[in-house]
Amino acid sequence: ARRRVSAALFDLHPAADHASRIAALWGEYDHELLDTRELRALAASPNEAARVEIARYFLDTNQKGVARPLVSGGQTLEARSLAALAAIADGETAVGAAEAERILAQDKTPCDALLARSAAAVATRRWSEAILAAHSAAAACPKQSSAPRAPAKGDNGRRADAGRGESARLLRGRRL
């Protein structure tokens, strides 16, 4: 079964929702996903939609080191936004924040760029900016399963390793 799912990812033309469904299945039934060889092949694949969705899965499951190579050098705003978020998750806050701001200068709505802005603000302890960016992300993408949340009472933001899912966990508390 794993081979068939992996083969579906390497298909050159699956739609983004197809890759998203595969990632959701993996998340529910199989936590080992791809081996090193398969990850390298996916990173080299021209199928950006699959790379984005699988990188998103890895960020959501706090496997940040695996996510970044999948979206680095991406061409779409979505891939670039996710790469910015992955850079912040990898501890390169300035790199990720700068890319997120370049993206948001072009388009104010990419959810992952807004989450990257929020994660960068959390990493640098700028709580008000983090909340505003998280609120913008929640407003722009209300159906997103890892919608950002406001900081809970007593949350001093000690963890600055925010990825997309990690950003939502960092900003835990009440929904905005």
Side-chain angles (χ1 to χ4, degrees):
R2 180 181 282 181
R3 273 195 313 222
R4 286 186 183 192
V5 170
S6 296
L9 276 178
F10 296 112
D11 177 2
L12 293 178
H13 304 292
D17 67 322
H18 180 87
S20 180
R21 286 193 303 256
I22 290 170
L25 281 171
W26 266 339
E28 189 155 341
Y29 298 108
D30 186 2
H31 298 284
E32 292 182 27
L33 292 189
L34 302 171
D35 62 30
T36 305
R37 181 186 56 77
E38 291 169 321
L39 283 170
R40 276 192 291 249
L42 183 59
S45 167
N47 186 344
E48 193 166 278
R51 291 193 329 267
V52 163
E53 289 306 320
I54 299 308
R56 186 180 312 286
Y57 170 84
F58 284 124
L59 281 174
D60 283 346
T61 57
N62 204 28
Q63 299 175 61
K64 32 191 189 246
V66 180
R68 195 169 179 189
L70 296 177
V71 287
S72 291
Q75 300 302 308
T76 64
L77 287 181
E78 185 178 23
R80 290 175 50 213
S81 297
L82 204 57
L85 195 52
I88 293 166
D90 278 347
E92 293 187 37
T93 304
V95 171
E99 179 62 9
E101 294 307 321
R102 282 190 292 275
I103 292 162
L104 292 168
Q106 290 179 291
D107 182 348
K108 300 282 185 217
T109 61
C111 298
D112 293 313
L114 290 164
L115 288 173
R117 177 185 273 170
S118 179
V122 167
T124 56
R125 305 178 64 87
R126 296 181 327 241
W127 310 121
S128 295
E129 290 176 42
I131 291 170
L132 288 173
H135 186 271
S136 297
C141 305
K143 294 181 181 181
Q144 216 170 3
S145 63
S146 56
R149 300 167 187 256
K153 267 190 172 176
D155 180 5
N156 63 8
R158 281 179 244 160
R159 292 172 33 202
D161 58 338
R164 181 175 172 267
E166 189 67 12
S167 179
R169 285 185 286 280
L170 275 172
L171 297 171
R172 193 170 314 268
R174 66 184 190 286
R175 283 212 179 265
L176 296 173

